[in-house]
Amino acid sequence: MGQPAKTIGRVPADHFDNGFYGQDILSVSQFDRDKLDYIFNVAHEMRVLVERFGSADLLQGKILANLFYEPSTRTSSSFMAAMMRLGGQVIPMNNVQYSSVTKGESLPDTVRTLESYADIIVLRHPEMGAAATAAHYAAKPVINAGDGVGEHPTQALLDQFTILEELGRVDDLKVTMVGDLKYGRTVHSLTKLLVNYDVEFVFVSPDILRMPKDVLDVVRETGHQFTVTDDVHDVVTESDVLYVTRVQKERFTDLVEYQRVRDHYIIDEALMATAKEKMIVMHPLPRVNEISYAVDEDPRAAYFRQMRNGMYIRMALLAAVLGKA
Ligand code: ASP
């Protein structure tokens, strides 16, 4: 983190200075192992809280502005649920086409407007770097909920939390990422987060959807082993985590090219039969065609549990940034 805490109104006497208070959450590069441990511990407590009591009043009186310029089901609704389960309230700005954005209002002005009413802003935007721009103009904390092909830090946190909850560790694992590694922001963030651990990477994609060089550079510079291939069959038997992604149709300029690669990988029962008994299959969702529905019955299919973890991670982050965790 490191930047001075932003103002969230008067600093409450009971706030915790946890290193997150008043901070923007823009990139996974803000997290080291200590910070990750902290968030995962709080997320675990949030799970227990929800399972035992359903909700708490930790963030009572706080307001979140949920500003989404791109479609979202899970990220948007889990942030809303997270805020509401902690007793806070939400301004849902999921249909920016009905807001002054349609009249030509700029991102800085929209953000300045929402922070006049809310204590924290969650932003999803199609442009890489948009969350950083918003954070620059906002005096209140901004959380990046996906900036184009850039990053999706809260997804990476919930992904790693899922690995931890499912396999009991993050070190000493072989993590295979499959699909659209070029445009998929979740794999960019997850890779940059996992380099904090002793992980071996396998990147599986068609030639035109390879992992970007800047992400591979981080893997190289941190001394991690990795393999690049286009055949998932070759590598699945050795994998501990199989992280599957959707081909990001909305990022293609040439739809013929999209049609050519969209069904390149389909994870089915036959492939699962060759995998380790303890492997987990993850997917940030939405799934289009990449994992056959029959795989949902396999106990190794972790993607619905992964999706539920999103709410606990977002509860932990909101509480931490607002000084209540
Ligand atoms: N929901 C994820 C994202 O917003 C993954 C996807 O859309 O494919 O990046």
Side-chain angles (χ1 to χ4, degrees):
M1 316 279 134
Q3 85 246 27
K6 288 184 160 181
T7 25
I8 312 173
R10 206 153 43 81
V11 178
D14 62 343
H15 93 281
F16 291 101
D17 197 2
N18 48 26
F20 289 92
Y21 178 70
Q23 302 289 318
D24 302 307
I25 306 290
L26 303 177
S27 162
V28 288
S29 57
Q30 292 170 256
F31 292 84
D32 57 19
R33 277 182 87 133
D34 285 347
K35 291 214 152 55
L36 292 168
D37 285 350
Y38 176 83
I39 286 296
F40 296 149
N41 283 335
V42 178
H44 192 81
E45 283 170 25
M46 293 299 181
R47 175 203 293 281
V48 174
L49 182 151
V50 171
E51 285 171 359
R52 287 218 188 122
F53 309 107
S55 61
D57 60 3
L58 210 59
L59 296 183
Q60 198 176 26
K62 297 289 181 197
I63 297 180
L64 158 74
N66 216 30
L67 178 58
F68 279 67
Y69 288 72
E70 274 194 337
S72 170
T73 301
R74 276 151 292 272
T75 307
S76 167
S77 49
S78 65
F79 262 116
M80 289 172 72
M83 194 64 183
M84 294 190 286
R85 285 197 184 269
L86 290 175
Q89 308 223 40
V90 182
I91 303 172
M93 294 292 291
N94 299 66
N95 292 312
V96 289
Q97 69 268 34
Y98 298 120
S99 74
S100 290
V101 169
T102 306
K103 300 181 190 168
E105 186 159 67
S106 67
L107 179 63
D109 282 0
T110 303
V111 161
R112 279 189 280 229
T113 306
L114 289 173
E115 71 171 353
S116 315
Y117 314 132
D119 302 286
I120 185 164
I121 297 171
V122 169
L123 174 72
R124 169 167 292 184
H125 198 280
E127 276 163 37
M128 192 155 128
T133 305
H136 174 76
Y137 287 97
K140 304 258 174 80
V142 172
I143 300 184
N144 181 4
D147 60 336
V149 298
E151 278 217 38
H152 195 347
T154 65
Q155 175 75 44
L157 291 170
L158 78 90
D159 291 342
Q160 196 187 313
F161 180 61
T162 301
I163 295 174
L164 194 62
E165 295 272 297
E166 296 278 328
L167 299 176
R169 67 184 200 284
V170 184
D171 284 311
D172 194 23
L173 294 178
K174 195 171 220 177
V175 177
T176 299
M177 301 186 186
V178 188
D180 186 346
L181 308 185
K182 178 178 179 188
Y183 297 123
R185 55 193 169 201
T186 70
V187 283
H188 302 164
S189 286
L190 182 59
T191 303
K192 291 188 204 161
L193 200 58
L194 289 177
V195 294
N196 286 295
Y197 297 82
D198 179 15
V199 162
E200 190 181 328
F201 296 94
V202 183
F203 300 121
V204 186
S205 73
D207 240 7
I208 61 160
L209 297 178
R210 290 271 187 255
M211 188 63 101
K213 181 177 175 305
D214 65 299
V215 182
L216 290 183
D217 284 347
V218 174
V219 176
R220 257 189 224 106
E221 280 156 21
T222 49
H224 288 78
Q225 277 209 17
F226 70 96
T227 311
V228 173
T229 171
D230 60 9
D231 190 346
V232 71
H233 295 90
D234 281 355
V235 294
V236 78
T237 49
E238 298 276 297
S239 305
D240 300 296
V241 174
L242 188 67
Y243 191 100
V244 187
T245 63
R246 164 181 78 91
V247 178
Q248 310 274 300
K249 182 178 180 189
E250 66 274 33
R251 313 283 179 216
F252 281 74
T253 42
D254 178 356
L255 277 185
V256 177
E257 201 160 77
Y258 164 73
Q259 299 292 353
R260 247 203 316 269
V261 286
R262 54 173 252 187
D263 289 331
H264 206 83
Y265 303 107
I266 297 178
I267 309 304
D268 57 13
E269 286 172 296
L271 186 78
M272 290 298 288
T274 67
K276 284 186 185 175
E277 207 183 308
K278 281 215 150 165
M279 184 194 75
I280 53 168
V281 185
M282 298 176 66
H283 193 307
L285 302 174
R287 133 177 80 178
V288 181
N289 214 13
E290 312 79 47
I291 303 179
S292 83
Y293 282 87
V295 174
D296 297 358
E297 308 306 321
D298 190 312
R300 294 170 293 180
Y303 31 93
F304 297 128
R305 298 189 290 275
Q306 175 186 359
M307 167 181 86
R308 270 195 294 277
N309 287 337
M311 185 174 75
Y312 307 131
I313 283 289
R314 289 170 178 134
M315 288 172 80
L317 277 174
L318 290 172
V321 172
L322 293 170
K324 293 291 184 178

